């Protein structure tokens, strides 16, 4: 697989996992998932993890996967190589795994004494990858094995932090985020 092909496939395959956290920020607010509960005198998750944001994030990831699936043949023809079409379970694993990864990262941040929005290098950039990829493999192994080759996974691990930092800086400049990370 050529380098450009690997990068395009990695980006395309991860889009349903990249979008949910951004959609959750835009649609956030409402009742926190943890209901305000504490554990060891610290919030379990915090006010930033809401049911509405989570539902909207997953919905956005699923909708994007559906659109990408419709476009896949035409894009593949234009590029000269196939791009992923998403099965429902693959889409759910990517979108749901992204949101679950973000929720687990919030849990780890609270356990380590970090406040909402505090930086946690590495975890902030890869939390959704670390959960979404295994979840997709669990839910739709054949699809996962077909698209997430070792090369694609390596590109995802390198590309994701770059995209994450870039999109967060843009959201910060636009006033959509309180921190640039």
């Amino acid at each position: 697989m050529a380098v450009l092909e690997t990068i395009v496939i990695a980006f395309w395959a991860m889009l349903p996992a990249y979008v949910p956290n951004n959609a959750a920020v835009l649609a956030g607010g409402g009742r926190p998932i943890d209901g305000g509960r504490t554990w060891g005198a610290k919030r379990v998750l915090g006010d930033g993890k809401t049911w509405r944001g989570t539902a909207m994030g997953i919905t956005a990831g699923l909708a994007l996967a559906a659109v990408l699936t419709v476009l896949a043949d035409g894009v593949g023809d234009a590029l000269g190589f196939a791009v992923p079409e998403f099965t429902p379970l693959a889409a759910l694993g990517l979108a749901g795994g992204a949101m679950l990864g973000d929720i687990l990262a919030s849990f780890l941040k609270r356990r380590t004494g970090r406040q909402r929005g505090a930086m946690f290098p590495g975890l902030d950039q890869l939390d959704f990858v670390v959960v979404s990829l295994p979840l997709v493999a669990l839910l739709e192994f054949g699809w996962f094995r077909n698209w997430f080759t070792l090369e694609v996974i390596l590109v995802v691990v390198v590309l994701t932090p770059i995209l994450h930092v870039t999109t967060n800086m843009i959201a910060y400049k636009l006033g959509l985020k309180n921190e640039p990370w």
Side-chain angles (χ1 to χ4, degrees):
M1 189 179 307
V3 173
L4 180 61
E5 181 179 347
T6 304
I7 293 168
V8 169
I9 289 171
F11 182 73
W12 185 278
M14 285 302 293
L15 272 172
Y18 287 156
V19 168
N21 288 318
N22 297 317
V25 169
L26 296 175
R31 205 172 99 215
I33 293 172
D34 68 8
R37 290 179 188 84
T38 59
W39 184 17
K42 298 174 187 169
R43 279 292 292 275
V44 175
L45 299 174
D47 289 336
K49 302 301 168 229
T50 66
W51 291 108
R52 180 172 56 208
T54 301
M56 290 305 295
I58 292 170
T59 301
L62 293 173
L64 178 59
V67 169
L68 293 173
T69 297
V70 169
L71 298 174
D73 283 340
V75 170
D77 288 346
L79 293 173
F81 57 86
V83 293
E85 294 181 20
F86 299 89
T87 67
L89 286 176
L92 181 62
L94 288 163
M99 293 307 301
L100 181 57
D102 193 51
I103 290 166
L104 291 173
S106 183
F107 177 78
L108 290 173
K109 284 182 173 184
R110 299 302 90 77
R111 302 291 64 76
T112 59
R114 289 173 171 83
Q115 296 302 312
R116 179 179 174 190
M119 192 184 315
F120 198 138
L123 182 68
D124 286 331
Q125 293 78 30
L126 293 171
D127 56 355
F128 51 96
V129 172
V130 169
V131 177
S132 64
L133 291 185
L135 187 56
V136 171
L138 180 67
L139 294 175
E140 193 73 75
F141 185 71
W143 185 91
F144 174 83
R145 187 182 62 218
N146 186 54
W147 292 108
F148 284 98
T149 63
L150 180 58
E151 294 84 7
V152 168
I153 291 171
L154 289 173
V155 168
V156 167
V157 170
V158 172
L159 182 66
T160 300
I162 295 166
L163 290 172
H164 188 270
V165 170
T166 302
T167 57
N168 281 342
M169 294 287 276
I170 292 168
Y172 176 73
K173 296 275 187 195
L174 293 173
L176 299 172
K177 289 193 64 148
N178 295 329
E179 314 81 19
W181 48 81

